[in-house]
Amino acid sequence: GQNIDQPTEMTATEGAIVQINCTYQTSGFNGLFWYQQHAGEAPTFLSYNVLDGLEEKGRFSSFLSRSKGYSYLLLKELQMKDSASYLCAVEDSNYQLIWGAGTKLIIKP
Amino acid sequence: IAGITQAPTSQILAAGRRMTLRCTQDMRHNAMYWYRQDLGLGLRLIHYSNTAGTTGKGEVPDGYSVSRANTDDFPLTLASAVPSQTSVYFCASRRTEGTEAFFGQGTRLTVV
């Protein structure tokens, strides 16, 4: 079967750095997406990795290792507005998106 | 403003009733999706359409049907609603594989 694993919940302090991990086992791999979802809202796109390595976009970076079936989302200089759920999704060999259950990130002052 | 729109935003429905959730996008995206999101389970794919005129079943299709008569519209129908279909439903679209998906604002459906 196909499986995406993320921690259920994480807590971090405003101004700090947090790393949210995602491991996957899927039927093929055509790319990995990270989305942010605030409570009661729709998911919004953050990043896309298809090759190994680090993609940086402002305060957010995403890393991929295809050989290890592993990705992480790194959030720097945390702000209270970063409190949200972060969803990892893998595009499989059929180009379907397989979603993790999401990681709820709680930011404390 | 270009985007993807769902209607209604919320609905309380009696069990056994038929209901259609509407989804329209104006980005000319080929692929469209219907997901349900339940606490602790993440997004689960109900049905999808890779292009107008074609549809496919996702992970949890039972009790739901879709149609894709044109590029813009992708309605989801519950033929006879049951309480287990209480959920938040998201419609999404994307241009093609390997591109980001855009989501509608969601429909909160309660079946009583």
Side-chain angles (χ1 to χ4, degrees):
Chain A
Q2 310 210 81
N3 195 50
I4 311 278
D5 285 320
Q6 305 179 235
T8 302
E9 186 175 295
M10 299 181 70
T11 302
T13 304
E14 190 177 15
I17 299 173
V18 70
Q19 178 176 310
I20 302 174
N21 296 326
C22 170
T23 58
Y24 62 88
Q25 291 177 305
T26 56
S27 303
F29 178 86
N30 282 309
L32 187 144
F33 296 83
W34 284 97
Y35 280 76
Q36 180 189 61
Q37 185 177 25
H38 284 102
E41 297 183 8
T44 55
F45 170 76
L46 287 177
S47 68
Y48 173 63
N49 294 71
V50 65
L51 299 176
D52 290 351
L54 189 68
E55 293 281 343
E56 296 186 81
K57 192 184 292 187
R59 293 190 298 114
F60 293 9
S61 302
S62 56
F63 172 83
L64 174 67
S65 169
R66 288 172 296 171
S67 63
K68 295 182 179 178
Y70 168 70
S71 173
Y72 67 73
L73 181 68
L74 191 71
L75 291 74
K76 304 176 184 176
E77 302 171 13
L78 285 170
Q79 302 175 9
M80 297 304 293
K81 67 178 182 180
D82 297 329
S83 292
S85 289
Y86 292 85
L87 314 180
C88 173
V90 170
E91 189 172 74
D92 70 9
S93 57
N94 293 319
Y95 300 101
Q96 292 301 329
L97 292 172
I98 311 300
W99 295 83
T103 299
K104 182 178 181 180
L105 178 63
I106 300 168
I107 310 296
K108 295 185 174 180
Chain B
I1 299 176
I4 181 166
T5 305
Q6 292 182 232
T9 53
S10 67
Q11 181 76 43
I12 298 174
L13 186 67
R17 297 296 297 269
R18 180 183 179 90
M19 172 83 190
T20 295
L21 308 185
R22 300 184 297 279
C23 177
T24 299
Q25 53 101 359
D26 61 2
M27 298 175 282
R28 308 302 294 171
H29 285 174
N30 288 315
M32 296 188 75
Y33 309 87
W34 273 106
Y35 293 96
R36 60 178 291 172
Q37 188 174 40
D38 302 290
L39 197 62
L41 294 179
L43 290 164
R44 292 186 291 167
L45 183 65
I46 304 171
H47 285 286
Y48 66 93
S49 170
N50 287 330
T51 189
T54 69
T55 62
K57 294 181 179 180
E59 180 186 357
V60 288
D62 294 343
Y64 307 95
S65 63
V66 292
S67 62
R68 186 90 183 276
N70 56 60
T71 298
D72 299 344
D73 302 300
F74 191 45
L76 175 74
T77 298
L78 288 68
S80 179
V82 294
S84 62
Q85 292 178 311
T86 293
S87 186
V88 179
Y89 291 85
F90 286 104
C91 180
S93 72
R94 59 177 182 163
R95 184 171 52 83
T96 186
E97 55 262 15
T99 61
E100 66 184 276
F102 293 82
F103 285 80
Q105 75 272 38
T107 296
R108 184 173 296 275
L109 181 67
T110 303
V111 182
V112 297

